[in-house]
Amino acid sequence: MTEQSSVARAFVDRPTPITAATVQQKTSGMPFQRYVPFGTVDLPDRTWPSKVITQAPRWLSTDLRDGNQALIDPMSPARKRKMFDLLVKLGYKEIEVGFPSSGATDFNFVRSLIEEGAIPEDVTISVLTQAREDLIERTVESLKGAPRATVHLYNATSPMFRRVVFKASKDEIKAIATDGTRLVMEYAEKILGDETVFGYEYSPEIFIDTELDYALEVCEAVMDVWQPGEGREIILNLPTTVERSTPNVYADKIEWMSRNLSRREFVCVSAHPHNDRGTGVASAELAVMAGADRVEGCLFGQGERTGNLDLVNVGMNLFSQGVDPMIDFSDIDEIRRTAEYCNQMPVPERHPYAGDLVFTSFSGSHQDAIKKGFDALEADAAAAGVPVGEYTWGVPYLPIDPKDVGRSYEAVIRVNSQSGKGGIAYVLKNDHKLDLPRRMQIEFSKIIQAKTDAEGGEVTPADIWSVFQDEYLPTPANPWGRISLSGSRSLTTEDGRDALTTEAVVDGTPVTLTGTGNGPVSAFVHALASIGVDVRVLDYAEHALSEGGDAQAAAYVECAVGEKVLWGVGIDGNTVLASLKALVSAVNRAAQRD
């Protein structure tokens, strides 16, 4: 038996291996028996699991209605207008702007949009109403003069609402929907002129809990009144008013309805997920795969309880898959700032695509992978002969290019006690164009790690640069070290070697150092030996920091100075002087450690 197999056998023979049987979780003690599992849909030939979303759905923003009604401090008219203007600017073509029959505030806001000409010709505003005649009349009145408008009527259809809230039969609930639809048509005919392109949306509220055959029956009855046909669409909003099922069940319900609706080609099936289970985005995406034509939600998921569907999240998910969301998210921070102002509620730091930290890595291994990813991306783009901004995106841990949503790379990597060499090296390269050799990255990361261990918290890019300068690059304000250079000149000897003369200050005294070697660096090593400095060059790298006649160069030298192995860095417009400064940097660092 080999030594390796003996080791393996020792592990196999351990008496208590970790398995599912040995990891025993205890019951929670919570009263889970009070809750009933949500039912499934009998749809064995479902098609949505194999579908791929290849184009954006229609979008409806309900920030000004569903989102606004959930605010602690509902929007003032000024905040509402700012939100409306933002939605228009982003490219939303269907916007639910309020509940005009709820009071003067919403009614007056709708009127202001119309009377001030704030609604572009290609934007359809939508208003919500319950199925009561006085409310319907008031709602339609609010739309007089609008270029394009939709009345959205709803009534709850689920068994619990029929039994507990309305105490009404199925036929009575269906009559509420059909009578309400008829009243909307009558008042639209009476109040709205030919200048308004008028549409209708009906919602069997609590659709997710409504029996599918009954939801279909109610929708068909409503369509019989509205009579959808060529050029006369009806929107059927099928909401997860309270999200209670896994997303696949919602998708099954959407596919079942989409298959069984008559006049389907004249119906816009609109998905309206909420986020009570935290899967609103998944519900929307699967609903589109299952046949939904439109998605309703709010920016950043604003809404009651856990919120409405997050329109930004779904749109950016499409973008990340190479699908045009048809909405402009290229300045995500401005969108977030405006939404925060209008809603008076913050967008969390970890919110997908928009939070302050969503493109940020603190982990050292993540940072190292990101840095290598950026390096590879640049190299691949250069090899393909195209700008990096046009090359196919692919960087570890970053699903999209932060620059595509208006973010800089400055916040991609932030350094704390969990960070490693890759993150620190990334900051120096991104902010100061310094591309540290790998072994130097390791050396400097230990210096930063000591700082974070001693002080705790995050180390900012400015902190990193300050520590780097203090460690490797003496400045006029901090002229540390035994040796500083004033200048140098070299000649080629008859035997082809370099003869170097360097003006320097050593321990406060101006001196002239001379030496010869097979290059300027070798010659300077020889010159340093004349003042008792024992230094050997182990590794060397250099690169330009910029382009043009005044370009700076950076040189990195790994040296054995006595028994110490240290890196030095030099920056100068002259590549030779940059190399000599790097040698001096290493020598001075060694002297500091004596």
Side-chain angles (χ1 to χ4, degrees):
M1 183 178 291
T2 64
E3 181 181 353
Q4 183 179 12
S5 61
S6 297
V7 171
R9 174 58 58 190
F11 274 88
V12 169
D13 292 341
R14 280 179 175 272
T16 55
I18 297 175
T19 66
T22 61
V23 180
Q24 296 180 353
Q25 292 180 291
K26 295 182 179 179
T27 59
S28 67
M30 298 177 68
F32 61 89
Q33 302 89 344
R34 298 183 61 214
Y35 300 90
V36 179
F38 201 89
T40 59
V41 179
D42 184 17
L43 195 68
D45 59 341
R46 60 181 59 83
T47 63
W48 62 262
S50 60
K51 296 290 181 64
V52 176
I53 303 175
T54 57
Q55 64 181 35
R58 286 166 57 176
W59 305 107
L60 175 117
S61 160
T62 186
D63 287 86
L64 291 163
R65 198 276 300 172
D66 219 350
N68 184 54
Q69 75 182 30
L71 293 174
I72 299 169
D73 177 19
M75 294 183 209
S76 64
R79 282 156 54 200
K80 281 187 174 183
R81 179 59 184 272
K82 194 169 185 67
M83 175 62 79
F84 179 80
D85 290 343
L86 172 67
L87 294 168
V88 169
K89 179 182 177 183
L90 295 180
Y92 289 102
K93 300 303 181 185
E94 296 177 83
I95 303 172
E96 197 162 53
V97 294
F99 203 145
S101 64
S102 66
T105 301
D106 267 23
F107 185 91
N108 291 340
F109 175 68
V110 176
R111 294 307 309 153
S112 72
L113 291 177
I114 297 167
E115 292 168 4
E116 294 171 16
I119 308 168
E121 287 292 329
D122 62 346
V123 170
T124 300
I125 61 169
S126 176
V127 288
L128 187 72
T129 182
Q130 294 168 310
R132 279 173 34 195
E133 183 170 3
D134 59 327
L135 303 182
I136 291 170
E137 180 180 14
R138 181 71 167 161
T139 299
V140 177
E141 284 177 349
S142 74
L143 297 175
K144 190 171 183 179
R148 304 174 63 88
T150 296
V151 167
H152 178 186
L153 181 137
Y154 74 97
N155 68 305
T157 56
S158 71
M160 181 178 290
F161 273 70
R162 296 196 307 261
R163 178 177 65 86
V164 174
V165 178
F166 300 114
K167 296 179 173 58
S169 67
K170 285 184 174 181
D171 286 342
E172 289 171 324
I173 293 295
K174 181 170 64 175
I176 292 173
T178 54
D179 291 346
T181 302
R182 194 170 291 107
L183 287 167
V184 168
M185 295 169 65
E186 290 175 4
Y187 281 106
E189 181 69 23
K190 186 185 305 182
I191 294 173
L192 301 181
D194 292 340
E195 74 273 16
T196 299
V197 178
F198 180 70
Y200 182 60
E201 176 174 359
Y202 171 69
S203 173
E205 197 196 12
I206 327 291
F207 164 78
I208 192 66
D209 287 293
T210 301
E211 308 94 319
L212 276 175
D213 56 352
Y214 179 60
L216 178 65
E217 180 184 335
V218 174
C219 288
E220 289 288 347
V222 166
M223 288 197 291
D224 288 342
V225 176
W226 177 256
Q227 287 295 305
E230 193 67 42
R232 186 176 174 79
E233 175 190 81
I234 187 170
I235 301 169
L236 295 178
N237 172 28
L238 306 176
T240 58
T241 310
V242 177
E243 187 180 41
R244 301 216 313 110
S245 72
T246 50
N248 62 296
V249 174
Y250 183 54
D252 280 347
K253 287 176 175 272
I254 293 292
E255 181 163 342
W256 189 95
M257 288 289 289
S258 188
R259 288 188 193 183
N260 288 281
L261 284 166
S262 68
R263 297 159 281 195
R264 178 63 179 90
E265 66 272 31
F266 309 123
V267 177
C268 171
V269 173
S270 194
H272 184 111
H274 280 250
N275 200 44
D276 298 86
R277 290 170 52 92
T279 55
V281 168
S283 291
E285 291 175 331
L286 298 192
V288 172
M289 292 161 63
D293 305 295
R294 189 175 78 163
V295 169
E296 305 183 9
C298 298
L299 300 180
F300 308 114
Q302 168 56 28
E304 293 196 86
R305 303 179 311 280
T306 57
N308 284 54
L309 168 73
D310 182 351
L311 291 178
V312 178
N313 198 341
V314 178
M316 284 304 303
N317 283 355
L318 291 177
F319 177 81
S320 74
Q321 299 298 301
V323 176
D324 186 352
M326 310 301 286
I327 303 295
D328 183 2
F329 297 115
S330 60
D331 191 350
I332 201 82
D333 288 331
E334 178 60 24
I335 300 169
R336 187 192 67 197
R337 283 191 294 268
T338 303
E340 288 179 329
Y341 163 74
C342 293
N343 293 326
Q344 299 290 288
M345 294 182 72
V347 174
E349 291 179 327
R350 300 290 183 189
H351 198 96
Y353 300 107
D356 281 336
L357 298 179
V358 296
F359 300 116
T360 302
S361 286
F362 291 100
S363 162
S365 61
H366 289 204
Q367 293 174 347
D368 185 59
I370 290 171
K371 178 186 180 298
K372 290 173 180 174
F374 273 117
D375 291 344
L377 186 70
E378 291 175 4
D380 292 345
V386 299
V388 173
E390 297 176 12
Y391 194 75
T392 301
W393 178 253
V395 171
Y397 298 111
L398 292 175
I400 67 165
D401 187 344
K403 284 191 174 179
D404 288 336
V405 290
R407 291 278 180 87
S408 71
Y409 291 148
E410 292 177 7
V412 168
I413 288 177
R414 287 165 62 174
V415 177
N416 65 11
S417 61
Q418 301 298 309
S419 305
K421 61 180 175 56
I424 296 162
Y426 172 86
V427 169
L428 289 172
K429 183 176 181 181
N430 187 65
D431 293 3
H432 302 284
K433 311 304 180 187
L434 294 173
D435 192 3
L436 274 57
R438 186 175 184 279
R439 287 198 301 278
M440 186 179 175
Q441 293 177 27
I442 296 171
E443 179 188 85
F444 185 54
S445 70
K446 292 177 180 177
I447 296 169
I448 294 295
Q449 192 72 40
K451 178 179 175 65
T452 58
D453 288 344
E455 300 176 7
E458 182 182 346
V459 182
T460 67
D463 292 333
I464 292 172
W465 179 236
S466 177
V467 173
F468 186 85
Q469 286 182 296
D470 189 55
E471 186 68 29
Y472 297 99
L473 299 172
T475 65
N478 183 23
W480 54 265
R482 285 190 62 204
I483 304 170
S484 63
L485 298 183
S486 303
S488 69
R489 58 188 182 279
S490 64
L491 297 171
T492 303
T493 63
E494 292 182 359
D495 58 358
R497 292 167 62 80
D498 280 281
L500 183 74
T501 301
T502 304
E503 304 300 327
V505 176
V506 179
D507 297 326
T509 302
V511 297
T512 298
L513 303 176
T514 59
T516 58
N518 58 6
V521 172
S522 174
F524 191 52
V525 168
H526 181 232
L528 289 172
S530 68
I531 57 172
V533 176
D534 175 23
V535 57
R536 290 176 293 116
V537 175
L538 305 177
D539 197 6
Y540 174 83
E542 68 176 33
H543 63 81
L545 292 175
S546 56
E547 298 177 355
D550 58 348
Q552 294 277 92
Y556 313 93
V557 180
E558 184 182 31
C559 298
V561 185
E563 299 299 319
K564 304 180 185 70
V565 176
L566 296 163
W567 283 85
V569 181
I571 297 176
D572 198 90
N574 182 290
T575 56
V576 172
L577 200 53
S579 303
L580 304 188
K581 287 181 175 180
L583 266 170
V584 168
S585 171
V587 170
N588 285 341
R589 292 184 64 226
Q592 283 188 319
R593 284 159 172 75
D594 287 337

